[in-house]
Amino acid sequence: MSELILINVSGRDKPGLTSEITGIMGQYDVRILDIGQAVIHDHLTWGILIEIPDASKSSPVIRDLLFRLHALDLQVHFAPITVEEYLSWAEGRNRACYIVTLLSRDIKAEQIARVSAITARHGLNIDNITRLSARPSLTSSENRIACVEFSVRGQPADLEQLRADFLHIAGEMNVDIAFQQDSIFRRNRRLVVFDMDSTLIEAEVIDELALEAGVGEQVAEITERAMQGELDFSQSFAERLALLQGLDESVLERVAARLKMTEGAEHLIKSLKALGYRTAILSGGFTYFARHLQNKLGIDYVYANELEIVDGKVTGKVSGQIVDGKRKAELLLEIAERERISRAQVIAVGDGANDLPMLSQAGLGVAFRAKPLVKESARHAISTLGLDAILYLIGFRESETNQGLADAGI
C-alpha cells in the first residue's frame, strides 16, 4: 500500500533547491499530491505532499532527502498523512474560495490580527497570504499604498454580516478591506467605467461653476444633499443648472484648467491602458470637462451632460437626455455589449448615490471616497487611498503593473 507523507522544508533560499529535492524523489517514482513555496527576505518555506508507491518504501526516500537537505543546511520535517486525512482535506478544497484584500498606507500587525479574526469567526480558513505592493522603505515613513491579500476558503453563514464586520473595522483602523469571490473573472476584467466629479477629479464641477456665478453656497448645498441620496438627482440637477443661467462661456476653460485629478487617477488609467483595458467616463457632470479629461488621460468613451450655451452664455439647461443614475447603468451595459464582454468583466467606480445603479450592474462595483449611504450600499469601498488601489482589488502586483507600463513604453 502506498504511503502519504507531508514534507516541510525551511532555511535560506538558493537557486536549484526545488530541482534537487524533487530530483531525489523522482528516483523513487514519487507522486506529487500538493506543493507550495514562499520566500520572505530570502528565507524559504517549502511544503510538499507526496505519495510513495508500495514498491518504494518510505525509508530510502526519507534517508536520501535527509542527507541532502542537511548538506544544504536546510531544516526538514516529515509527517505521515492517513488516507482519511487526505480525503477530508481534498474535499475541503472544493469549498468556495474568496479573496480578502487589506489596503493601507502601512500594514500593521493589529490590522492583520483583526482581519484574520473576522475570517475565523465566520468559518473561513486562510490558505495563503500574499503581499501585492512593493516592500516598504525603512528610511522613509511615507508609504503610498501597502496591500496584503488573503486567500480564504469556506462558506460563511451570513455574507452581509461578514461584509458589515469588515466595514466596521476598516472605519476603526482607517484602512480599506475588500471581500470578493475568487472567480475566473477576477483577473479577467476588461472595462472600467468611472464617475467624474469627486471620483476622477477632486471637485464637483457644477459647484465650481456656481462659485464663478456667485451662487456657490446655494448650489453646493443642493449637490451635497443629492450625493447623500436625500434628493432626486434629475430634479436637483435641474435646480442647480437654473442657477447658472447667464454664466459666460469663457468661464468653462478657466474652471477646467484648475481641476485637480484625484490621487492615483493618472497611474491607474496608464496602467489599465498598458494592460489592455477599455475605459469610460459616465458622468452626471458636463461633457466639456469630461472631454478635457479624455484628452489628458486617453479615456475611450465619454458620456455626460451637454451644457447648453447660446450667444456665449450658459442657458441653465442641458441638451439631450440627462445622464442620471439610471442612464449610467444603461450606458455601462451598452458599452459592455459593444465591447463584447460580460457584466462580470466590468469595474464601475463612483462616489454618489446616483452611481449606485451602475455599481450594482458591474462585476466589481467600487464606492470611492463615497458618502456613507453609498459606502454602506456598495459591495466594495476605497476610502483611505488613491484610485490606483483598484489595481490590487483585481489582483495585480505592483511589479506586474510597473512591468506593464515599461513594456508599453509609458
Side-chain angles (χ1 to χ4, degrees):
M1 186 175 179
S2 61
E3 294 181 78
L4 307 183
I5 298 178
L6 176 63
I7 304 171
N8 291 110
V9 178
S10 63
R12 183 161 292 279
D13 188 31
K14 50 181 74 72
L17 286 180
T18 299
S19 176
E20 287 217 42
I21 297 170
T22 54
I24 292 172
M25 295 176 185
Q27 298 174 25
Y28 296 94
D29 196 28
V30 165
R31 181 185 179 198
I32 307 297
L33 300 177
D34 196 19
I35 186 170
Q37 173 181 308
V39 177
I40 298 178
H41 193 60
D42 291 333
H43 189 88
L44 167 77
T45 302
W46 193 86
I48 186 166
L49 179 60
I50 64 173
E51 180 184 30
I52 302 175
D54 184 47
S56 302
K57 298 297 183 185
S58 62
S59 297
V61 182
I62 293 173
R63 180 199 62 212
D64 290 356
L65 285 171
L66 274 172
F67 278 129
R68 188 59 190 141
L69 292 169
H70 177 74
L72 292 169
D73 197 26
L74 295 170
Q75 289 73 52
V76 61
H77 178 262
F78 299 93
I81 304 295
T82 67
V83 172
E84 290 75 18
E85 287 173 330
Y86 174 75
L87 292 175
S88 175
W89 170 83
E91 178 63 27
R93 308 306 292 175
N94 294 325
R95 292 180 294 173
C97 189
Y98 298 91
I99 296 295
V100 181
T101 309
L102 170 62
L103 292 151
S104 178
R105 296 292 178 183
D106 202 13
I107 299 296
K108 300 293 181 67
E110 182 192 5
Q111 297 164 5
I112 292 180
R114 296 191 66 182
V115 167
S116 57
I118 287 176
T119 60
R121 189 160 69 244
H122 285 271
L124 296 170
N125 188 59
I126 298 173
D127 283 347
N128 294 295
I129 302 176
T130 307
R131 186 182 182 103
L132 299 183
S133 56
R135 270 54 180 179
S137 169
L138 294 178
T139 58
S140 170
S141 60
E142 219 173 289
N143 295 310
R144 196 172 56 83
I145 298 181
C147 175
V148 171
E149 178 183 279
F150 303 77
S151 176
V152 300
R153 197 174 294 274
Q155 189 56 61
D158 190 339
L159 276 172
E160 291 309 312
Q161 185 58 53
L162 173 61
R163 293 181 191 278
D165 289 349
F166 279 139
L167 186 62
H168 176 71
I169 67 166
E172 278 193 351
M173 297 189 296
N174 197 32
V175 300
D176 292 315
I177 302 169
F179 178 81
Q180 55 185 312
Q181 189 159 12
D182 192 10
S183 70
I184 191 173
F185 294 111
R186 180 171 170 258
R187 285 177 61 107
N188 192 30
R189 316 287 187 189
R190 305 308 318 146
L191 168 68
V192 187
V193 302
F194 298 92
D195 173 44
M196 179 174 67
D197 296 39
S198 297
T199 300
L200 278 176
I201 57 175
E202 292 188 348
E204 292 286 333
V205 169
I206 198 166
D207 292 352
E208 296 297 312
L209 294 174
L211 287 173
E212 298 287 342
V215 291
E217 288 188 12
Q218 296 164 260
V219 168
E221 182 184 353
I222 299 171
T223 299
E224 180 63 19
R225 292 181 66 195
M227 292 299 99
Q228 294 281 5
E230 297 174 12
L231 297 175
D232 173 74
F233 176 82
S234 296
Q235 181 185 351
S236 68
F237 185 60
E239 288 179 20
R240 289 176 288 169
L241 264 178
L243 293 170
L244 300 180
Q245 184 178 1
L247 187 66
D248 195 273
E249 181 182 13
S250 62
V251 169
L252 273 62
E253 184 177 354
R254 186 160 69 244
V255 169
R258 72 170 183 248
L259 292 176
K260 184 179 179 182
M261 272 190 286
T262 301
E263 176 193 359
E266 287 186 88
H267 180 245
L268 172 61
I269 300 296
K270 284 180 180 179
S271 298
L272 291 172
K273 288 176 68 67
L275 296 166
Y277 282 66
R278 303 288 278 174
T279 55
I281 292 175
L282 307 182
S283 174
F286 303 113
T287 305
Y288 180 91
F289 303 96
R291 296 288 183 201
H292 176 77
L293 277 181
Q294 181 182 35
N295 294 334
K296 191 168 187 178
L297 297 174
I299 302 289
D300 297 299
Y301 296 94
V302 163
Y303 292 93
N305 297 301
E306 192 66 48
L307 196 59
E308 186 179 82
I309 297 174
V310 177
D311 297 329
K313 300 289 183 180
V314 173
T315 67
K317 300 177 182 178
V318 293
S319 304
Q321 183 179 0
I322 290 178
V323 179
D324 58 8
K326 179 175 179 289
R327 183 60 181 149
K328 286 186 178 187
E330 292 170 350
L331 288 166
L332 180 152
L333 295 175
E334 288 176 16
I335 297 171
E337 184 176 358
R338 192 177 312 165
E339 293 289 336
R340 298 181 179 180
I341 62 174
S342 72
R343 285 193 303 121
Q345 294 176 284
V346 181
I347 301 170
V349 189
D351 73 300
N354 66 317
D355 294 313
L356 282 172
M358 76 171 183
L359 297 187
S360 67
Q361 288 291 339
L364 178 64
V366 181
F368 179 74
R369 297 183 182 176
K371 312 302 183 287
L373 171 68
V374 182
K375 190 174 177 180
E376 291 168 11
S377 301
R379 298 184 71 81
H380 308 284
I382 292 176
S383 301
T384 64
L385 301 169
L387 272 174
D388 48 351
I390 290 169
L391 292 168
Y392 295 116
L393 297 190
I394 52 182
F396 286 101
R397 298 172 186 266
E398 186 162 337
S399 57
E400 290 177 326
T401 53
N402 289 340
Q403 186 60 52
L405 290 173
D407 291 344
I410 299 174

